[in-house]
Amino acid sequence: MSAVPDDPMAKAKRLVLGFLPQDRQPKTEEVQNAVNAIFGMLAAQGESLDRAQLAKEIEAMTAVFQERSSGLTDTKGHEPWLPEAKNDRDWDFWERYRRYLEDVVSLPPWVVRRLDQSSDEVLSQLEDPRRPGSWSRKGLVIGQVQSGKTGQYIGLAAKAVDAGYRLIVVLAGIHDDLRSQTQLRVDEGLLGFDTQHYRRSNEVGKSRLIGAGRMPGAKKLDIASPTNSTAKGDFGKKTASHTNFPLGSFPVVLVVKKHWKLLEYVRNWVIDVHGTEDENGKKVVKDLPLLVIDDEADNASIDTTKDDDADPTKTNAAIRDLVNAFDQSAYVGYTATPFANIYINPEANNEKVGEDLFPASFIRSLPSPSNYLGPERVFGLQVDDDDEEDTPPLPLVRHVKDAEIWLPAKHKSGHVPGAELPASLREAISSFVLACAARRARGQTKVHNSMLVHVTRFTSVQGLVRDQVDDHLRLLVDTLRDRYGKGPALREELQGLWEREFVPTTEQFPTDEAERLTWDQVSAELLDAIRKIQVKAVNGTSKDALDYYLSRKDGLSVIAVGGQKLSRGLTLEGLTVSYYLRWSKSYDALLQMGRWFGYRPKHEDLCRLYTTPELQDAYVEVTAATDELRREVEEMATLGLEPTAFGLKVRSSSLGLTVTAPNKMRKGKKILLSYSGEGPETVIFKLADRTVAHNFRLLEGFVRRLDSAEGLKATPKGGNVQWEGVSPGLVSEFLADYETDPMAQRVRPRLIAKYIDQCAKVGELVDWTVVLVSSTTSKWPQEIAGHTVGAVKRAALKDDFESEGRYTIRRVISPQDELIGLDPIQEERAREAARKAAEEAEKAAPPQNPSGTYIRRQRRPDQGLLLIYPVMPVNKDGVGVSTTPLVGFQVSLPHSKHQSKTEYVANTVWLQDDIYSIVEEDEA
C-alpha cells in the first residue's frame, strides 16, 4: 500500500531523501547522518517516529540502482529542440507526476531520476509539437515484462502534454480489463481525476481527485479524457457521438483497446471535429500534434500478411490510418518482447495506409532497476562468453510432476479435471497462505497479495478449477478454525512446510531484504490471513474482476484462476505464488505469461513458482536468447547505428520453440551461424584502468610465451613483429583471458577461443600466424616484452567517451593487414574474386585490396591469423589520453568443413547486410 503524502513516515522519508546527494548513490554514513538529522528535527517538533524503521526504509530505497538507457537514432529530418524547450515552457504535468512517484508511490529516488532521464531521451526523439509544417516520427522502447513500462510512458505522456502535444492516444492491449487497468494508471498519474465520474479536470469536485491530483498542494491542471476506467469506458460509437471537446485548446487523452473498429471511431471523430481538406481533397488534421503510445506493441499491432503489397491486417491498418490522418504525429511502441517488431519490413509501404510501424526514427532499450525480479534472477543466466559473472537462479522454483492425471497438458474445452487437486497445487495454496501470513507478521497488513493459477486456456475448465480451488481453500479455513479436531494437525503440516521450504530460502537472502521470522510469529497471523483470501476466475466471460483499486485501503488477497487474460499486460498486484502449467510454443508468449516477474519489496523470499521441469528449461533458454538480443541492441547503440540498421537475429530454440507466432515472423528467415569464415575484431573497449592494465599485461605475457616457444622466432616485417607456426593452444589461451566490454556482443573472445579449440580437435586452425601490428608514423612508441612498436591511432566515434567509460571505434584493422599469411597464389585468388565481384556490381574501379570476405575464403582450414593492435585512445584534438595503450585484435578465420552452427531467425535488414560482421569494403 502506498504511503499517504502527509503521513509522518512519508514526510520523514521525503525530507531525508532531499538531504542526500542527488547526483550519485549516497554512502552508508551519509544515509545515517541524514536520518539522524531529520529524526532529531521531527522529534523536536513532537512527531512520533520509529528511527530504525526510517533508516531501514531509506537504506532500501537508496540501494536501488538503475543504469542509463541506450538507443539507436535516425536524425534525418529531425530538429533538436528539447534543451531549449526546458526553459521556454512550463512542465507542470511532469513535476506533479514526479512528485507523485516520489511521495505517494515511494519509488527510490535513483529510479525516478532514471525515469526522468529515459523519458527525456524518448521525448527528444519526437518532434517539437510547436514545429510548423508536416512531420512524423516512429520509435520503439524495449523494456522487460512487469518492469514499469507503464510508469515510463505515463511520464513520457506528461512531458509530451507539457511540451504541446494536444492529443494523446494510448493503445492498451486487446482486453477490456487491461484497458481499464491502464486507464486507471493514467487517471492517477497524468489526469489526476477519476474518469468514472468526470471527463475533464475543470469539472471535478475535490472528492473525485485521485493520484497525482489529490496530493496536498497539487496543481489543478486542465486536461480531459473521453474514455474512462469502467469496463465499458472505451471509445465506442456512443462516446464518439457525445464527445464535443474543442480539440487543441487543452490536452485530450484517450485510452483505447487495440481494435480496428474503435480506432476507426477515434480517427473519424477527430477528422469530423478538426479535419480540413488537403490539395488532393482528402481530409487531414492539421496543427494538432498527435502522440500515439502503443502498449504491448508486438501484440495485435503487427501486420501479419505475408505479402507487403497486400492490404495489411485490420488493426495494423487502423493504427497506420490514424497516424497518417495527422500532418504532425509521433508513434512510440512499448514492449518487453520485441521479437515480432524486428521482423517488420522497414520498406513496407501501402498505398491506402502508408508506411508500416517499423521504428525508423529510434529504438531505445530500458534497463531494469536492481530491485527488479526478472527472468535472469528467477531462472539464472550463464554468460560464459563475457567477463561478467553468471547470474545464479534464486531458489524460488518448485517442480510440478503430478498434475498430468488431474489435468492433462493436452485437453479439450469440455475436459473435467480430476476430483482431487494434485499435491503440488495443494502445497502451492498452502505456500500462498503462509506468504500472506508472513507478510502480515512483517507489518505488511494493508497490502495486495495475489496467487496465479494458470493451467488451461479454456474458460469452462478455468471455472471448474476455480471451484475446486475455492472448495479446498474453504476446507483449509474451516480446519484452521477448529482448535481441537483437525486444526492442530493442519497447523503442524503448515509448520513443516514453513520450516522445510521458507526458512532455508529466506536465509539465502540478505537480512535487509528478508526479515527472519519465527513460526510463532507466522502462526499467529494464519487465520486472519486465510480469511481474507478470495478465489476469482479471470477470463473473457467472467464477471469476477480483480479490482485492486477498490481494495486499495485494506489490500486485496486473491487467488486468480485464469488463462489468456492473465498472459499479457494485466498486472497481478502483490503476486507471490504462481502455479503455472501452460505451455507455449513461442518466446514472446512464454515471457508474457511470466506474470511472476516484477517488484517484490520485502517479500522476494516468499515468492514461489510452481511449474514443470520442461517449462523451466524453456524459460532458461528464452532468458538467454532475450538477453543476447537486448545486448545486441545495446551494442548497436554504442556503435551509433541507425534503426534501419536494426539487423538483428534471435537464437532459435533447441526445445522446439518458435521466436514468435509464425504469422508475425513471415518476414524473418532461419539462418545458421558460426565463426567459420568470420573476421571478428574489437571495436568497443572498456576504459576501466583495471581492464586496460589487465589486457596489456596479458599481451606482454603472450609475447613472452611466443618468444620462448620452441621453434618460434619473432620476425620483424615492415615495423610489425610476426610469429609463424604458432600453436592453437597459445592463441586460444590469449583470447580466453582477454577482457572485453559487456557491450561487445559480436566479439566474444571466450567463444572464439572455444571455437578454435573445437576446430583443432579435427585438424583445423592448427597453424597460426600472429602479428603484433606497429605504426611506423606513431607518436606513441611502446615497449612490449622487449619489442618496440608504434601504437596505432583509431579515432573515437563519440567525443564524450571518457565520461562514458567506453572507447568505440569504426574498425581496428587496416584491411590490407588481413592478407598477411597468404601465399602468392592465395593472395592472387582473393584479388581476382574481389575484382570479379566489383565488375558484376558495375563499380567504377577495381579494388586496390580485397576485403576480408575474399581473403578468408582463400585461407586453408588449418591456417589462422591473429592481428594484435596496440591502440592509443585519442581525444577530438588527436591527443593521446592514456599512458597504456588499449589492446585490440582481429581474428581471420577460414571456412571450416566440420563446425556445427547455431540456428537463428534473422530479420530483413540482417539478411540484406549482415552486421554481425563489421561491414567490410574492398579498398579502392
Side-chain angles (χ1 to χ4, degrees), residues 682 685 719-720 772-782 784 789-795 807 809 811-814 817 868-874 878 880 884-889:
T682 48
F685 300 87
N720 298 340
L772 182 57
V773 180
S774 175
S775 167
T776 54
T777 59
S778 176
K779 303 175 186 175
W780 308 284
Q782 301 292 325
I784 301 176
V789 295
V792 302
K793 174 184 170 183
R794 298 289 185 265
Y807 195 74
I809 60 179
R811 298 204 67 184
V812 74
I813 185 176
S814 296
D817 291 349
I868 302 176
Y869 295 82
V871 178
M872 180 54 63
V874 294
T884 304
L886 309 174
V887 177
F889 65 80

Side-chain angles (χ1 to χ4, degrees), residues 575-590:
L575 180 63
T576 48
V577 177
S578 299
Y579 190 85
Y580 175 77
L581 305 180
R582 177 87 181 279
W583 182 265
S584 176
K585 292 183 178 179
S586 68
Y587 288 1
D588 47 11
L590 273 174

Side-chain angles (χ1 to χ4, degrees), residues 456-578:
T456 177
R457 68 186 178 92
F458 300 114
T459 56
S460 56
V461 182
Q462 290 166 22
L464 297 174
V465 172
R466 192 215 78 89
D467 292 344
Q468 283 188 314
V469 171
D470 190 53
D471 288 344
H472 180 72
L473 183 70
R474 290 177 187 278
L475 177 63
L476 290 180
V477 174
D478 291 343
T479 306
L480 273 178
R481 282 176 173 155
D482 185 356
R483 293 187 177 185
Y484 305 104
K486 296 181 179 178
L490 177 56
R491 281 188 182 268
E492 191 173 324
E493 183 184 319
L494 290 171
Q495 181 178 359
L497 180 62
W498 173 261
E499 292 175 349
R500 182 177 72 252
E501 287 290 328
F502 284 83
V503 173
T505 301
T506 300
E507 285 174 352
Q508 295 187 49
F509 285 76
T511 51
D512 58 343
E513 292 179 15
E515 181 184 342
R516 281 33 172 176
L517 297 169
T518 65
W519 169 247
D520 288 342
Q521 289 174 295
V522 176
S523 180
E525 300 289 346
L526 275 176
L527 203 51
D528 285 345
I530 198 171
R531 280 178 180 147
K532 197 174 176 180
I533 299 172
Q534 308 169 52
V535 183
K536 289 180 177 285
V538 183
N539 50 54
T541 61
S542 174
K543 293 180 181 177
D544 290 332
L546 294 180
D547 204 338
Y548 295 107
Y549 183 69
L550 290 179
S551 305
R552 65 193 181 280
K553 290 183 180 177
D554 298 314
L556 180 71
S557 290
V558 64
I559 298 177
V561 180
Q564 191 61 32
K565 285 182 83 175
L566 293 178
S567 68
R568 185 180 277 272
L570 194 67
T571 298
L572 296 174
E573 303 285 352
L575 180 63
T576 48
V577 177
S578 299

Side-chain angles (χ1 to χ4, degrees), residues 759-924:
C759 285
K761 289 176 183 176
V762 293
E764 295 185 336
L765 292 180
V766 293
D767 182 10
W768 281 83
T769 299
V770 177
V771 183
L772 182 57
V773 180
S774 175
S775 167
T776 54
T777 59
S778 176
K779 303 175 186 175
W780 308 284
Q782 301 292 325
E783 185 76 16
I784 301 176
H787 301 278
T788 302
V789 295
V792 302
K793 174 184 170 183
R794 298 289 185 265
L797 293 180
K798 296 181 179 179
D799 291 340
D800 61 346
F801 64 85
E802 289 181 90
S803 62
E804 193 181 73
R806 184 177 294 119
Y807 195 74
T808 305
I809 60 179
R810 184 65 64 191
R811 298 204 67 184
V812 74
I813 185 176
S814 296
Q816 70 273 14
D817 291 349
E818 203 171 352
L819 288 164
I820 295 172
L822 296 186
D823 62 35
I825 295 175
Q826 288 174 312
E827 185 174 329
E828 181 51 38
R829 284 176 179 165
R831 292 185 185 280
E832 179 57 32
R835 278 195 295 269
K836 189 174 181 181
E839 287 172 9
E840 290 175 358
E842 298 182 354
K843 290 190 176 180
Q848 181 182 336
N849 287 307
S851 68
T853 304
Y854 304 107
I855 295 170
R856 295 189 289 276
R857 179 64 68 182
Q858 298 307 319
R859 289 195 184 282
R860 299 188 310 273
D862 66 326
Q863 191 179 26
L865 170 68
L866 173 63
L867 298 164
I868 302 176
Y869 295 82
V871 178
M872 180 54 63
V874 294
N875 61 25
K876 60 183 178 181
D877 298 319
V879 178
V881 296
S882 174
T883 54
T884 304
L886 309 174
V887 177
F889 65 80
Q890 193 257 11
V891 191
S892 183
L893 297 163
H895 286 263
S896 168
K897 294 181 179 178
H898 297 279
Q899 275 306 304
S900 61
K901 297 184 177 184
T902 302
E903 184 178 272
Y904 289 80
V905 179
N907 69 354
T908 309
V909 177
W910 198 99
L911 294 166
Q912 290 172 349
D913 182 10
D914 172 4
I915 64 163
Y916 185 76
S917 302
I918 293 169
V919 177
E920 299 174 306
E921 295 181 357
D922 296 310
E923 194 173 346

Side-chain angles (χ1 to χ4, degrees), residues 528-793:
D528 285 345
I530 198 171
R531 280 178 180 147
K532 197 174 176 180
I533 299 172
Q534 308 169 52
V535 183
K536 289 180 177 285
V538 183
N539 50 54
T541 61
S542 174
K543 293 180 181 177
D544 290 332
L546 294 180
D547 204 338
Y548 295 107
Y549 183 69
L550 290 179
S551 305
R552 65 193 181 280
K553 290 183 180 177
D554 298 314
L556 180 71
S557 290
V558 64
I559 298 177
V561 180
Q564 191 61 32
K565 285 182 83 175
L566 293 178
S567 68
R568 185 180 277 272
L570 194 67
T571 298
L572 296 174
E573 303 285 352
L575 180 63
T576 48
V577 177
S578 299
Y579 190 85
Y580 175 77
L581 305 180
R582 177 87 181 279
W583 182 265
S584 176
K585 292 183 178 179
S586 68
Y587 288 1
D588 47 11
L590 273 174
L591 277 177
Q592 290 291 350
M593 287 178 182
R595 301 288 97 194
W596 48 83
F597 305 130
Y599 300 95
R600 306 289 181 262
K602 302 178 187 175
H603 65 285
E604 273 190 354
D605 61 311
L606 305 176
C607 293
R608 294 291 181 273
L609 168 59
Y610 286 81
T611 193
T612 64
E614 295 78 17
L615 271 166
Q616 182 176 11
D617 289 345
Y619 273 102
V620 167
E621 190 171 81
V622 172
T623 300
T626 307
D627 183 74
E628 184 174 325
L629 173 64
R630 200 177 302 277
R631 287 169 182 269
E632 288 213 6
V633 172
E634 290 169 354
E635 183 187 346
M636 290 171 66
T638 301
L639 290 170
L641 298 176
E642 294 179 353
T644 46
F646 194 56
L648 290 179
K649 64 198 188 317
V650 183
R651 184 188 302 187
S652 291
S653 166
S654 63
L655 302 175
L657 304 173
T658 61
V659 175
T660 185
N663 61 351
K664 292 182 182 177
M665 51 188 287
R666 285 175 179 158
K667 312 296 191 295
K669 184 177 178 181
K670 288 186 177 179
I671 52 170
L672 295 170
L673 291 179
S674 82
Y675 281 109
S676 173
E678 294 291 336
E681 62 179 289
T682 48
V683 291
I684 301 176
F685 300 87
K686 194 174 182 179
L687 287 179
D689 291 343
R690 189 195 64 79
T691 301
V692 174
H694 167 86
N695 286 338
F696 192 73
R697 285 196 303 271
L698 176 68
L699 173 59
E700 289 185 310
F702 182 45
V703 170
R704 290 191 189 98
R705 283 195 295 277
L706 291 172
D707 282 340
S708 61
E710 188 176 345
L712 293 186
K713 184 179 179 182
T715 308
K717 288 196 175 181
N720 298 340
V721 184
Q722 186 167 321
W723 296 264
E724 295 178 357
V726 178
S727 69
L730 283 174
V731 174
S732 66
E733 280 178 26
F734 167 75
L735 293 171
D737 289 338
Y738 181 94
E739 286 191 13
T740 187
D741 190 279
M743 291 294 176
Q745 280 296 290
R746 289 173 178 75
V747 180
R748 295 183 274 191
R750 294 183 189 182
L751 282 187
I752 300 171
K754 284 183 180 179
Y755 175 81
I756 292 169
D757 292 341
Q758 289 167 352
C759 285
K761 289 176 183 176
V762 293
E764 295 185 336
L765 292 180
V766 293
D767 182 10
W768 281 83
T769 299
V770 177
V771 183
L772 182 57
V773 180
S774 175
S775 167
T776 54
T777 59
S778 176
K779 303 175 186 175
W780 308 284
Q782 301 292 325
E783 185 76 16
I784 301 176
H787 301 278
T788 302
V789 295
V792 302
K793 174 184 170 183

